[in-house]
Amino acid sequence: MFTVLLSGFSAQATAVTVSGLYSAKVPVEGSSPGQLAQGYADGLSQVLVRVSGTRDVLAMEGVEALLSDAESLLLSYQVARGESGQSVLSMSFGAVGVNRALAAIDAPVWGANRPLTLAWIAAEDRGSRTLVTRPGAGSGQEDAGAWRAAFDEAARKRGLPVALPPSDFSSDRELLSDIWGQFIGRVKSASGNLDHDVLALVRVSRAGGQWRAGWVFDGMAMNAGEESVTADTPEALAEATINRWAELYASRYAVAASEVGDSPQVDIVLRGVTSLEDYAGANKVLEGLTPVVSVGAHRVRDEQLTLRVAFSGELDQLREYIALDPRFVPMEADVPAEPPVTARTAEDQVASSGPNPQEALESEVSQPAGPDQQTSAEASEETALFTYQPVPVDEEDAREAFESLYQVLYYRWQPSSVIGSDGGE
């Protein structure tokens, strides 16, 4: 199903962080070394396209060598047997390692913070037009279900955050006509309370044996006139459309190979910094962490300090070190109410109300792999491949986030003097 963005955030630039860009699932014949090596290469191929933002990366000089040594970039893997009896290899690659590998073959690198597209899709078939929306009770959207699944799967493959409007709009015939005519005014008004960075007005039609999708964008200077693609099936049309969108975004926000650098850098936004003592304390903690190469103040705004941290190893290792100090409180702890929303595989039909999807993913791929480990269909369906979390930033922060290779980390500074009932650390 399509991503449903949290309603508690404003409809400004959302700098959506896409988790799972460096993870993949592929079918394998078995768990022999040769079969696994082929699976690693297939999974890394998906990741390279997703992270570079272009399918052309697979034709670049040097990519074959990367794929033949895919295991060297692997962090963890697991082989499970699916419901049909087919073995499935789930794997996670290191973000820093993949980014450096792309830079080594002079390929672009597109970061984890990506613009969110709100897609208003009007599909016409045999003279009947339907607005493709999120599922909703009594929405009468049976005909739209195939399009919803097709676009969702295509967006999942490319790691592109895409949202659909709620089913409340499914009966609005005037709005449907405006989408078909690609008149932005009324659609823009209807999108006022819906999270998005860019609006896409899409009209899908069939002529003879082919489907056609034409669209216009509004927002982030993407509105450059109508573009279109054609394909033989709804699934192929959705894939062609999303591929084009991903490449347009990547051409703007991906970082050139020369800018990747030897030491990866991540921005850490620290709330609650009210004095020089707070700044010195936070700086000292970070400088003392094993993975940290350097720390520098990037921006100070009110009680919010942005630190730019160069580190060695993988980003997850840095986060684990930071988590050891209770003065760094992850900002997720400040977000009440709803869990993160997820984009799932096409087979998943309902959002999970269980554990955090990202934790489920990490649990799955970090376990020691056994030969053809058996898992239930239910457990497989509960695993989310991507988690889209709106990042609480202002417009200026959002622009920088879009151009960052790694997700922005958010913490609240909790001085040690108030930690614990006895005032100690």
Side-chain angles (χ1 to χ4, degrees), residues 41-66:
D42 293 343
L44 183 58
S45 294
Q46 294 181 14
V47 170
L48 293 180
V49 171
R50 209 180 287 147
V51 177
S52 69
T54 175
R55 291 167 296 167
D56 294 341
V57 69
L58 298 181
M60 296 183 69
E61 183 178 357
V63 74
E64 288 299 329
L66 290 181

Side-chain angles (χ1 to χ4, degrees), residues 201-281:
L201 278 62
V202 187
R203 53 185 177 192
V204 174
S205 59
R206 181 157 59 175
Q210 279 204 318
W211 290 95
R212 178 187 183 275
W215 66 85
V216 293
F217 285 129
D218 182 80
M220 297 183 68
M222 295 293 291
N223 42 325
E226 182 181 9
E227 288 197 40
S228 66
V229 294
T230 58
D232 294 334
T233 66
E235 293 77 14
L237 186 75
E239 185 170 337
T241 301
I242 294 297
N243 283 344
R244 179 57 182 156
W245 293 3
E247 291 177 3
L248 285 170
Y249 287 128
S251 67
R252 174 170 299 188
Y253 295 111
V255 172
S258 59
E259 299 179 45
V260 172
D262 293 330
S263 292
Q265 294 184 332
V266 63
D267 283 351
I268 296 179
V269 175
L270 198 57
R271 304 278 175 84
V273 177
T274 60
S275 65
L276 287 175
E277 288 77 12
D278 288 338
Y279 165 70

Side-chain angles (χ1 to χ4, degrees), residues 20-218:
L21 289 175
Y22 299 86
S23 298
K25 284 186 177 184
V26 299
V28 290
E29 294 299 322
S31 55
S32 71
Q35 291 164 333
L36 289 178
Q38 182 60 54
Y40 301 150
D42 293 343
L44 183 58
S45 294
Q46 294 181 14
V47 170
L48 293 180
V49 171
R50 209 180 287 147
V51 177
S52 69
T54 175
R55 291 167 296 167
D56 294 341
V57 69
L58 298 181
M60 296 183 69
E61 183 178 357
V63 74
E64 288 299 329
L66 290 181
L67 297 179
S68 65
D69 194 28
E71 187 175 3
S72 67
L73 298 174
L74 199 64
L75 291 183
S76 57
Y77 75 96
Q78 180 182 29
V79 180
R81 196 174 296 280
E83 187 175 4
S84 64
Q86 170 75 59
S87 294
V88 177
L89 173 63
S90 301
M91 68 205 92
S92 178
F93 295 93
V96 174
V98 169
N99 291 352
R100 285 175 173 165
L102 285 169
I105 62 172
D106 203 28
V109 182
W110 189 17
N113 307 303
R114 302 187 170 188
L116 171 65
T117 303
L118 177 59
W120 295 85
I121 305 172
E124 182 179 76
D125 188 17
R126 292 183 287 273
S128 177
R129 292 177 188 169
T130 303
L131 179 62
V132 182
T133 68
R134 302 196 299 252
S139 62
Q141 286 281 289
E142 293 82 2
D143 293 340
W147 288 112
R148 183 166 55 241
F151 274 91
D152 177 61
E153 176 65 8
R156 182 196 67 82
K157 285 181 179 178
R158 294 302 297 263
L160 186 68
V162 178
L164 285 175
S167 59
D168 299 353
F169 292 102
S170 59
S171 60
D172 191 329
R173 308 309 295 181
E174 291 185 357
L175 190 63
L176 182 62
S177 295
D178 281 1
I179 296 168
W180 189 262
Q182 298 184 332
F183 302 121
I184 192 65
R186 196 195 309 267
V187 179
K188 197 167 185 176
S189 297
S191 306
N193 293 321
L194 303 175
D195 287 311
H196 66 277
D197 296 302
V198 178
L199 296 178
L201 278 62
V202 187
R203 53 185 177 192
V204 174
S205 59
R206 181 157 59 175
Q210 279 204 318
W211 290 95
R212 178 187 183 275
W215 66 85
V216 293
F217 285 129
D218 182 80

Side-chain angles (χ1 to χ4, degrees), residues 259-317:
E259 299 179 45
V260 172
D262 293 330
S263 292
Q265 294 184 332
V266 63
D267 283 351
I268 296 179
V269 175
L270 198 57
R271 304 278 175 84
V273 177
T274 60
S275 65
L276 287 175
E277 288 77 12
D278 288 338
Y279 165 70
N283 204 69
K284 183 177 180 180
V285 170
L286 292 173
E287 286 180 336
L289 300 182
T290 301
V292 172
V293 175
S294 64
V295 182
H298 180 58
R299 180 185 301 147
V300 178
R301 182 182 298 130
D302 299 326
E303 295 183 2
Q304 175 175 296
L305 170 67
T306 301
L307 297 168
R308 183 152 292 174
V309 177
F311 62 97
S312 60
E314 289 292 338
L315 181 59
D316 284 348
Q317 293 171 321

